[in-house]
């Protein structure tokens, strides 16, 4: 018997889960929000999303060619980054903006720091903020030629800030102005449920984020603390749902330790509360997540769990 | 139901061999007995080339406090004392015996004994003479385990029937087929520890074994059974102790210091055989499973028989395997040749037509934290890997990497297919070396 046997260290079996399967699940989870955004805002929005994704894939390919590394687009993470960035674009933005944004997100934020999992900031969010700073006029224009009602240009947060009531039904089902992917809370939550059921995301971060944010605005909300319309409007508006479930849960830029996840969620909620109540910018969620990303190494450093049997020692 | 925190659920694959009754493998012409089949010092050969030996005769003597005897499993003639290949890849001094097929046994072999008539010292001496070591995989000499500093401090004897490794069914078959001896063996152990309670611990995927044992020991006041959740590594010593007693021990604490003794089912059966039937440890139960075999099997194999012989006995391969493992798929050792003897630490022989690891696509770590949720020791494996790869021993120690039990759970769940456990197995030794050199430098 002439046997040729493979020899590798244990364990000799592996779970079916893989990096690309996880990324594919995130893409699947974003389909409802993407479809709804395109239905609401039309062909232009569809092209914006496509440009963001294609630019992300091309940027990563190009980078790998230049630095002579194997192409890593097969892990699908660049598709996720491009998709999230595309969904964070206003519907009528010129096509070069998502193209530049994706390039920045992939090359500067992700690949230059070592690629997948090595980035210290969420690439899609960093790309979005880069666009907001660079192309403020385009990025803050939420009018859409598809919807012609009276509130087209005023986002719910602006309405709330001016002391008026918002239509919660419209916010839930996505009849409000906003970026392509953030407008329908229902579509986003459907995706979030999918990710939670498939155990892709840890619900501690998004739930603590939202809960601590609600508690914060109830305490410091200046007389509006019991106004249900105000509180739900704040939760459903301004991309908080999108940010909490799809961006704050980004693996690479959130703490890996269980206690760290808890602290991180609370930090996000409190910072968002501060920015929303006392700040001027409407872009609180993006900046809050980016700032918190930077604190992740610090949070992890003091939340390393106690090893089994080492308690109290 | 008893359990521990974290852990993983690999596919059990136990149905492949679960209903195959234990069959006795007939020994061939030549048997090989390595002098190192246990943790501790190598045994010293006490026979010479040309000597005739009897079945059950000690041919290698325990050398030192932590060491175990090696016995001949057949009668015959010593033809050589030379280095032979063993599982793990090393060459170890071994005694080669030509089987005369008479199976002449030593005096008193097989005589029934009542353990109540024996003193504690006699029981421990019998266990030592019988060459019994832990048969769960670690092969720690059992007589050493049975002689802790203060026997009165032991309040639990846990019989490990978790068999949490996928594919393995040998302990299950033993629990079903040798229930009586198992309970007898545990009673012998309990005699040594007057204040202890015996608990036979079984995972809930072996409910029939649990029910059978529960029935068999229902009238014995100091023996209980415990049903545990099917989860890997439920049978890990520290996980088992926690699941049953709630006590948590770290790597620097002996189970005995926490009042516990843990022994595998086959070990306890062997104690029962040695003490009550005057039959020393000459065999072990091995599961042959995996998709490369014509027939899976649970075999009663005399030590010294080669792997090739037991594969042939079971019916050979359907297809030539690409991967073979001695032991379970989570912690077993890969083997590269069948020309090795069955020894005390071989618990299974798995054969796979496809190596599940051959088409793994390694990516960067995505920091998903699955390894953290899987680790039964509460470690952060991905950070440990970073420290291990960069040779940062201080960081590795700070992350409690030395507590790792190399159970393989983190590698199993990793979507990036990182070789986590292999690095940690290596670091176990590397850290020791690092600490020694640091001490010397002082």
């Amino acid at each position: 018997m002439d046997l040729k046997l493979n020899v590798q260290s244990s364990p000799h079996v592996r779970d079916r889960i893989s990096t690309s399967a996880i990324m594919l699940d995130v893409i699947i989870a974003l389909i409802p929000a993407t479809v709804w955004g395109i239905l609401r805002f039309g062909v232009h929005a569809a092209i914006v999303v496509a440009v963001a994704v294609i630019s992300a894939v091309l940027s990563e390919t190009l980078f790998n060619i230049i630095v002579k590394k194997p192409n890593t687009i097969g892990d699908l993470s660049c598709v996720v980054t491009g998709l999230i960035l595309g969904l964070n674009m206003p519907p009528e933005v010129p096509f070069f903006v998502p193209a530049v944004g994706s390039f920045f997100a992939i090359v500067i934020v992700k690949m230059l720091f070592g690629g997948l999992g090595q980035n210290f900031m969420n690439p899609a969010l960093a790309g979005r903020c880069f666009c907001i700073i660079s192309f403020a006029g385009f990025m803050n224009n939420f009018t859409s030629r598809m919807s012609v009602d009276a509130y087209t240009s005023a986002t719910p947060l602006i309405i709330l800030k001016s002391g008026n009531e918002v239509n919660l039904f419209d916010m839930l089902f996505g009849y409000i102005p906003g970026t392509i992917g953030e407008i329908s809370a229902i579509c986003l939550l459907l995706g979030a449920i999918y990710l939670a059921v498939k155990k892709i995301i840890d619900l501690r971060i998004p739930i603590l984020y939202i809960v601590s944010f609600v508690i914060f605005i109830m305490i410091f909300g200046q007389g509006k603390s019991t106004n249900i319309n105000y509180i739900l409007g704040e939760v459903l508006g301004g991309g908080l749902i999108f940010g909490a479930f799809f961006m704050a849960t980004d693996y690479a830029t959130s703490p890996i330790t269980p206690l760290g996840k808890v602290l991180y969620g609370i930090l996000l909620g409190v910072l968002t509360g501060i920015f929303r109540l006392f700040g001027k910018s409407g872009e609180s969620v993006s900046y809050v997540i980016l700032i918190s990303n930077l604190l992740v190494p610090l949070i992890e450093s003091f939340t390393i769990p106690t090893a089994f049997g080492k308690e109290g020692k | 139901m008893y359990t521990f925190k974290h852990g993983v659920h690999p596919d059990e694959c136990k149905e492949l061999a679960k209903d195959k009754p234990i069959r006795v493998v007939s020994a061939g012409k030549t048997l090989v007995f390595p002098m190192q089949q246990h943790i501790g010092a190598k045994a010293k050969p006490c026979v010479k080339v040309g000597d005739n030996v009897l079945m059950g005769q000690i041919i290698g003597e325990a050398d030192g406090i932590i060491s175990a005897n090696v016995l001949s499993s057949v009668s015959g003639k010593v033809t050589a004392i030379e280095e032979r290949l063993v599982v793990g890849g090393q060459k170890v001094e071994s005694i080669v015996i030509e089987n005369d097929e008479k199976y002449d046994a030593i005096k008193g072999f097989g005589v029934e004994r009542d353990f109540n008539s024996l003193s504690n010292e006699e029981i421990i001496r019998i266990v030592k003479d019988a060459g019994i070591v832990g048969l769960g995989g670690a092969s720690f000499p059992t007589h050493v385990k049975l002689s802790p500093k203060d026997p009165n401090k032991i309040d639990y004897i846990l019989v490990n029937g978790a068999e949490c490794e996928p594919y393995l069914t040998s302990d299950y078959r033993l629990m079903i087929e040798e229930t009586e001896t198992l309970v007898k063996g545990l009673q012998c152990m309990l005699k040594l520890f007057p204040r202890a309670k015996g608990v036979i611990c079984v995972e809930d995927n072996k409910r029939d074994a649990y029910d059978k044992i529960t029935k068999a020991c229902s009238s014995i006041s100091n023996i209980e059974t415990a049903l545990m959740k099917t989860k890997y590594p439920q049978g890990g010593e520290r996980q088992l102790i926690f699941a049953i007693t709630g006590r948590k021990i770290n790597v620097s604490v002996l189970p005995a210091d926490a009042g516990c003794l843990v022994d595998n089912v086959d070990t306890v059966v062997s104690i029962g055989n040695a003490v009550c039937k005057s039959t020393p440890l000459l065999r072990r139960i091995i599961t042959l499973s995996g998709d490369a075999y014509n027939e899976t099997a649970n075999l009663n194999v005399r030590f010294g028989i080669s792997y090739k012989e037991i594969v042939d006995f079971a019916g050979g391969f359907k297809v030539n395997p690409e991967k073979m493992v001695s032991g379970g798929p989570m912690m077993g050792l890969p083997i590269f040749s069948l020309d090795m003897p069955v020894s005390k630490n071989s618990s299974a022989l798995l054969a796979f037509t496809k190596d599940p690891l051959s088409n793994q696509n390694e990516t960067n770590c995505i920091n998903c934290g699955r390894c953290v949720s899987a680790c039964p020791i509460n470690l952060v494996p991905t950070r440990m890997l970073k420290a291990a790869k960069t040779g940062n021993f201080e960081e590795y120690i700070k992350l409690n990497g030395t507590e790792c039990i190399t159970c393989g759970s983190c590698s199993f769940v990793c979507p990036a297919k990182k070789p986590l456990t292999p690095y940690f197995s290596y670091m176990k030794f590397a850290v020791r070396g690092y600490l020694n050199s640091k001490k010397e430098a002082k």
Side-chain angles (χ1 to χ4, degrees):
Chain A
M1 192 167 12
D2 188 23
L3 288 177
K4 283 208 174 70
L5 296 167
N6 285 358
V7 175
Q8 250 173 314
S9 192
S10 64
H12 307 288
V13 283
R14 295 293 159 86
D15 205 357
R16 286 168 208 88
I17 190 89
S18 68
T19 302
S20 50
I22 291 173
M23 296 302 164
L24 188 62
D25 272 336
V26 178
I27 294 168
I28 291 169
L30 285 168
I31 286 175
T34 312
V35 169
W36 180 251
I38 291 170
L39 286 178
R40 275 289 287 158
F41 298 127
V43 182
H44 189 94
I47 299 174
V48 166
V49 174
V51 166
V53 172
I54 292 167
S55 166
V57 174
L58 288 181
S59 303
E60 187 157 320
T61 309
L62 202 67
F63 183 88
N64 282 324
I65 290 172
I66 291 170
V67 300
K68 298 195 175 74
K69 294 236 171 165
N71 202 351
T72 45
I73 57 168
D75 61 38
L76 297 182
S77 80
C78 57
V79 177
V80 172
T81 301
L83 184 57
I84 292 182
L85 184 72
L87 295 178
N88 270 297
M89 289 285 151
E92 296 289 332
V93 78
F95 300 135
F96 79 88
V97 177
V100 173
S102 276
F103 176 83
F104 180 83
I106 294 293
V107 174
I108 310 290
V109 186
K110 184 177 141 188
M111 299 312 281
L112 282 181
F113 285 91
L116 179 63
Q118 303 296 310
N119 45 292
F120 63 98
M121 269 186 180
N122 186 319
L125 271 184
R128 171 186 157 97
C129 292
F130 172 77
C131 292
I132 290 171
I133 296 164
S134 313
F135 317 110
F138 296 128
M139 291 297 288
N140 287 322
N141 174 16
F142 293 106
T143 50
S144 164
R145 62 192 111 167
M146 295 285 287
S147 50
V148 283
D149 46 85
Y151 290 109
T152 38
S153 58
T155 61
L157 288 192
I158 296 171
I159 299 170
L160 284 169
K161 199 122 195 164
S162 61
N164 295 313
E165 294 230 321
V166 286
N167 185 333
L168 291 176
F169 177 87
D170 285 356
M171 294 183 78
L172 262 180
F173 290 93
Y175 292 97
I176 50 169
T179 67
I180 298 165
E182 74 175 13
I183 51 172
S184 165
I186 291 284
C187 289
L188 289 168
L189 288 173
L190 273 178
I193 291 169
Y194 175 78
L195 290 182
V197 168
K198 291 211 80 179
K199 297 201 168 128
I200 304 293
I201 58 169
D202 188 323
L203 286 178
R204 271 175 288 197
I205 293 174
I207 287 176
L208 279 166
Y209 184 176
I210 293 167
V211 167
S212 59
F213 170 68
V214 167
I215 293 172
F216 187 90
I217 59 169
M218 284 175 85
I219 295 172
F220 299 100
Q222 293 139 342
K224 294 181 200 154
S225 51
T226 50
N227 185 338
I228 300 292
N229 183 280
Y230 171 74
I231 288 166
L232 282 179
E234 284 285 347
V235 171
L236 296 176
L240 180 59
I241 300 286
F242 198 172
F245 286 97
F246 289 93
M247 296 190 272
T249 52
D250 173 38
Y251 290 147
T253 53
S254 62
I256 200 168
T257 57
L259 180 60
K261 285 185 203 294
V262 171
L263 295 178
Y264 182 70
I266 295 171
L267 175 73
L268 289 167
V270 171
L271 282 181
T272 307
I274 294 173
F275 278 41
R276 287 251 180 113
L277 290 183
F278 310 116
K280 271 215 151 59
S281 167
E283 282 315 317
S284 53
V285 170
S286 304
Y287 288 113
V288 163
I289 295 176
L290 284 183
I291 291 168
S292 304
N293 286 168
L294 300 180
L295 295 173
V296 165
L298 182 70
I299 295 175
E300 276 188 0
S301 69
F302 60 81
T303 55
I304 293 292
T306 314
F308 182 90
K310 286 257 188 177
E311 294 85 353
K313 278 171 196 135
Chain B
M1 198 156 11
Y2 300 93
T3 192
F4 66 99
K5 293 196 184 90
H6 302 309
V8 294
H9 292 100
D11 290 343
E12 292 173 29
C13 304
K14 300 222 186 237
E15 63 292 338
L16 284 172
K18 156 174 188 290
D19 299 319
K20 303 284 173 72
I22 297 171
R23 287 188 292 157
V24 180
V25 177
S26 39
K29 266 326 274 167
T30 315
L31 291 96
V32 179
F33 301 89
M35 290 295 104
Q36 180 97 65
Q37 308 183 17
H38 49 264
I39 285 182
K42 215 162 62 123
K44 222 164 54 195
C46 54
V47 288
K48 295 187 301 295
V49 175
D51 282 3
N52 283 313
V53 296
L54 297 170
M55 180 169 75
Q57 183 180 330
I58 296 175
I59 53 175
E61 262 176 347
D63 188 19
I65 298 170
I66 299 184
S67 183
N69 290 329
V70 177
L71 282 65
S72 174
S73 63
V74 294
S75 60
K77 196 179 211 162
V78 178
T79 54
I81 299 180
E82 61 191 23
E83 300 220 310
R84 286 291 187 111
L85 197 64
V86 297
V87 174
Q90 322 81 317
K91 284 194 162 180
V92 172
E93 181 180 35
S94 304
I95 296 176
V96 184
I97 290 176
E98 179 108 350
N99 184 5
D100 64 11
E101 285 171 47
K102 290 185 194 138
Y103 300 98
D104 293 329
I106 50 167
K107 214 173 107 228
F109 186 94
V111 175
E112 300 270 341
R113 261 194 297 225
D114 178 10
F115 67 88
N116 278 315
S117 66
L118 298 166
S119 73
N120 289 358
E121 290 70 34
E122 278 173 311
I123 291 179
I124 291 174
R125 191 185 45 76
I126 290 168
V127 169
K128 184 182 177 187
D129 287 347
I132 298 176
V133 303
L135 297 173
S139 314
F140 189 81
T142 302
H143 66 274
V144 183
K145 219 185 228 183
L146 293 180
S147 329
K149 270 173 271 164
D150 186 358
N152 283 319
K153 272 208 176 135
I154 302 294
D155 50 4
Y156 278 101
I157 295 180
L158 305 176
V159 180
N160 189 349
E163 198 163 55
C164 56
E165 280 265 18
Y167 291 95
L168 273 51
T169 53
S170 54
D171 287 348
Y172 166 76
R173 291 309 312 178
L174 262 182
M175 289 190 279
I176 295 270
E177 296 182 29
E178 303 263 355
T179 321
E180 299 283 303
T181 323
L182 176 68
V183 176
K184 273 261 173 66
L186 180 53
Q187 284 179 302
C188 298
M189 295 169 77
L190 283 165
K191 188 172 180 299
L192 306 176
F193 305 101
R195 305 178 49 157
K197 177 167 84 171
V199 186
I200 301 174
C201 317
V202 187
E203 271 188 355
D204 66 343
N205 59 354
K206 295 177 271 291
R207 194 116 207 179
D208 45 344
Y210 171 81
D211 290 339
K212 186 151 189 235
I213 297 168
T214 309
K215 220 169 124 199
C217 57
S218 56
S219 59
I220 304 166
S221 63
N222 57 353
I223 297 183
E224 289 172 12
T225 47
L227 197 59
M228 303 187 295
K229 200 173 157 198
T230 302
K231 190 162 79 162
Y232 180 86
Q234 191 69 264
E237 196 166 55
R238 290 150 75 184
Q239 280 60 51
L240 186 75
I241 291 172
F242 173 73
I244 305 296
T245 69
R247 296 172 193 169
K248 289 183 168 185
I249 57 170
N250 61 46
V251 77
S252 56
V253 183
L254 286 174
D257 297 331
C260 298
L261 281 191
V262 183
D263 264 308
N264 163 270
V265 167
D266 202 359
T267 316
V268 178
V269 169
S270 302
I271 293 173
N273 279 329
V275 177
C276 305
K277 293 181 191 160
S278 310
T279 309
L281 181 60
L282 304 181
R283 62 97 189 109
R284 67 163 301 144
I285 312 299
I286 295 185
T287 303
L288 263 60
S289 190
D291 60 353
Y293 287 111
N294 277 318
E295 281 281 337
T296 59
N298 293 294
L299 302 175
N300 174 329
V301 189
R302 278 172 205 275
F303 296 129
I305 297 179
S306 80
Y307 279 153
K308 187 181 178 317
E309 284 170 285
I310 60 171
V311 170
D312 290 342
F313 178 88
F317 296 123
K318 200 161 34 180
V319 194
N320 267 3
E322 189 175 289
K323 175 74 155 275
M324 290 191 74
V325 179
S326 167
M330 294 299 283
M331 286 188 81
L333 291 166
I335 61 169
F336 54 90
S337 161
L338 290 178
D339 189 21
M340 296 187 226
V342 168
S343 66
K344 293 172 189 173
N345 44 20
S346 0
S347 59
L349 188 61
L350 308 181
F352 305 107
T353 48
K354 276 266 152 274
D355 179 4
L357 302 192
S358 61
N359 57 355
Q360 299 289 331
N361 215 345
E362 190 180 331
T363 70
N364 278 359
C365 169
I366 55 173
N367 207 46
C368 67
R370 278 174 176 74
C371 53
V372 180
S373 322
C375 182
I377 307 292
N378 257 345
L379 303 174
V380 189
T382 175
R383 296 288 179 274
M384 283 158 58
L385 181 67
K386 219 175 246 175
K389 277 189 164 174
T390 51
N392 190 342
F393 292 103
E394 290 296 336
E395 174 73 6
Y396 191 82
I397 294 165
K398 216 179 89 196
L399 289 166
N400 285 313
T402 45
E403 291 289 324
C404 174
I405 57 170
T406 61
C407 68
S409 298
C410 52
S411 280
F412 174 77
V413 294
C414 181
K417 312 297 172 190
K418 288 280 173 203
L420 294 150
T421 314
Y423 268 96
F424 305 154
S425 309
Y426 157 74
M427 283 301 272
K428 255 188 171 173
F429 297 96
V431 166
R432 208 178 299 157
Y434 167 76
L435 290 177
N436 283 345
S437 62
K438 211 169 116 177
K439 225 183 273 165
E440 273 167 31
K442 270 185 189 168

